[in-house]
């Protein structure tokens, strides 16, 4: 069915050699920065985790824009909406699991105390 | 003025098949990313539960992981270049780019298999602790995706050779490139959460 619709107006060139090269350069730069931050004392030690998360999110953005061509074009609205929904679910799954499990851990009785109660 | 013309064009008729196919495949990729997020969450919860066994600090070699990252990034780049060359009907450039994509992907897979084999040989297999179970299922699932991607790549290159750069072949190549780039995004998360944070 789909095959019979002629491909008029095929916007073939999504991206160019330049966009891919810029994307690769950004990705390499951000990866290098992540390694640097994790291996040296460049950042204040308690802030390293936050720094790594920020660098990772920035690199994911670079991949989305330069490699997957998720942008602001009119034919891209649906892709962006689907991405927003996906990000919502991922955040719920990740933060929800961490939050719930951390609370369970702090509120759980130590194993020895449970054994005491069963006597 | 110009954007208005483009807008009415898009609104007046059905979207090009290529756009629709890419949208459908994008939805699949997002569902795949949600599958990964469940494993990421379980890894984050279990990463401290080493059961007296080795922790990530003692196990991960960042030099090795850096080489894996470079393989994946450059294979993504060559994959994108290959997609551009098939759009311009430059067949030899396309075969060269996708050949490089395959070689780099296979190099990544080889590095990962050697890492896994080394861990198992040191007695740090998936059955050692909850941390290692979560580690092997998360990183292993990414490796399984790369393996599937390499098989898919071989199939598509064969199809391009047999059928030429027709519309449907190019749409399949577009879907493959989206898949390959999405695996990179997941690797960025893996690198940060598992390796860089784990090795500290």
């Amino acid at each position: 069915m789909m095959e019979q619709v002629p491909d008029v107006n095929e916007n073939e060139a999504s991206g160019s050699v330049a966009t891919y090269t810029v994307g690769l350069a950004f990705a390499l730069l951000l990866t290098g920065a992540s390694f640097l931050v994790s291996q040296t004392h460049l950042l204040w030690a308690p802030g390293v985790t936050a720094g790594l998360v920020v660098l990772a999110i920035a690199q994911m953005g670079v991949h989305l824009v330069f490699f997957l061509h998720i942008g602001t074009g009119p034919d891209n609205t649906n892709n962006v909406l689907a991405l927003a929904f996906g990000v919502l679910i991922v955040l719920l799954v990740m933060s929800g699991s961490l939050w719930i499990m951390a609370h369970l851990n702090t509120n759980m009785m130590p194993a020895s105390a449970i054994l005491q109660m069963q006597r | 003025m110009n954007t208005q013309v483009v807008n009415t064009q898009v609104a007046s008729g059905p979207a090009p098949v290529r756009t629709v196919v890419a949208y459908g495949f994008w939805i699949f990729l997002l569902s795949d990313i949600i599958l990964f997020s469940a494993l990421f969450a379980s890894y984050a919860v279990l990463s401290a539960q080493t059961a007296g066994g080795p922790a990530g600090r003692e196990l991960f070699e960042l030099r090795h992981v850096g080489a894996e990252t470079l393989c994946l990034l450059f294979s993504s780049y060559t994959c994108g270049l290959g997609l551009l060359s098939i759009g311009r009907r430059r067949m030899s450039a396309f075969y060269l780019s996708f050949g490089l994509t395959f070689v780099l992907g296979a190099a990544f897979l080889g590095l990962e298999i050697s890492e896994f084999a080394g861990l198992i040989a040191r007695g740090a297999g998936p059955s050692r602790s909850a941390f290692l179970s979560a580690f092997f299922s998360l990183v292993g699932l990414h490796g399984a995706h790369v393996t599937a991607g390499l098989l898919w790549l071989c199939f598509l290159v064969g199809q391009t050779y047999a059928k030429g750069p027709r519309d449907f072949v190019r749409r399949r190549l577009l879907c493959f490139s989206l898949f390959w780039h999405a695996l990179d995004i997941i690797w960025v998360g893996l690198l940060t959460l598992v390796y860089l944070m784990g090795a500290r």
Side-chain angles (χ1 to χ4, degrees), chain A residues 1-8 10, chain B residues 17-18 21 159 166-172:
Chain A
M1 195 66 173
M2 290 272 272
E3 292 290 341
Q4 289 162 7
V5 182
D7 278 358
V8 281
E10 279 240 310
Chain B
V17 178
R18 194 178 163 86
V21 167
Q159 195 168 50
R166 294 202 224 158
D167 285 347
F168 74 93
V169 174
R170 279 182 290 122
R171 282 199 295 271
R172 288 172 189 179

Side-chain angles (χ1 to χ4, degrees), chain B residues 137-200:
Chain B
S137 41
L138 176 57
V139 183
L141 184 69
H142 180 268
H145 274 75
V146 174
T147 313
L150 287 177
L151 291 175
W152 189 12
L153 189 156
C154 291
F155 174 76
L156 281 180
V157 168
Q159 195 168 50
T160 314
Y161 181 74
K163 309 218 173 202
R166 294 202 224 158
D167 285 347
F168 74 93
V169 174
R170 279 182 290 122
R171 282 199 295 271
R172 288 172 189 179
L173 289 168
L174 173 71
C175 288
F176 169 77
S177 81
L178 293 177
F179 179 76
W180 204 244
H181 297 317
L183 284 186
D184 255 24
I185 293 187
I186 290 164
W187 179 256
V188 172
L190 267 173
L191 172 72
T192 305
L193 179 75
V194 176
Y195 290 106
L196 293 179
M197 289 183 183
R200 293 188 62 238

Side-chain angles (χ1 to χ4, degrees), chain B residues 6-168:
Chain B
V6 172
N7 273 333
T8 48
Q9 249 179 357
V10 168
S12 62
V17 178
R18 194 178 163 86
T19 309
V20 176
V21 167
Y23 177 57
F25 198 74
W26 179 230
I27 302 249
F28 159 72
L29 286 177
L30 286 168
S31 73
D32 215 27
I33 287 174
I34 288 168
L35 166 75
F36 269 102
S37 82
L39 283 172
F40 269 110
S42 54
Y43 177 85
V45 166
L46 295 172
S47 58
Q49 315 300 320
T50 53
R57 210 170 300 107
E58 303 140 49
L59 294 176
F60 301 148
E61 291 169 39
L62 285 188
R63 193 176 294 260
H64 202 95
V65 177
E68 285 179 318
T69 309
L70 285 181
C71 283
L72 269 194
L73 283 181
F74 277 96
S75 83
S76 227
Y77 180 64
T78 55
C79 176
L81 294 188
L83 198 69
L84 288 178
S85 359
I86 191 112
R88 293 166 193 166
R89 309 293 188 277
R90 291 187 192 144
M91 297 313 287
S92 48
F94 162 75
Y95 288 122
L96 179 67
S97 310
F98 267 58
L100 277 174
T101 308
F102 181 87
V103 169
L104 287 164
F108 167 83
L109 208 60
L111 284 169
E112 187 160 290
I113 290 170
S114 81
E115 184 196 11
F116 279 10
L119 287 178
I120 293 169
R122 287 170 65 181
S127 55
R128 179 64 190 85
S129 62
F131 153 66
L132 282 164
S133 299
F135 168 81
F136 273 93
S137 41
L138 176 57
V139 183
L141 184 69
H142 180 268
H145 274 75
V146 174
T147 313
L150 287 177
L151 291 175
W152 189 12
L153 189 156
C154 291
F155 174 76
L156 281 180
V157 168
Q159 195 168 50
T160 314
Y161 181 74
K163 309 218 173 202
R166 294 202 224 158
D167 285 347
F168 74 93

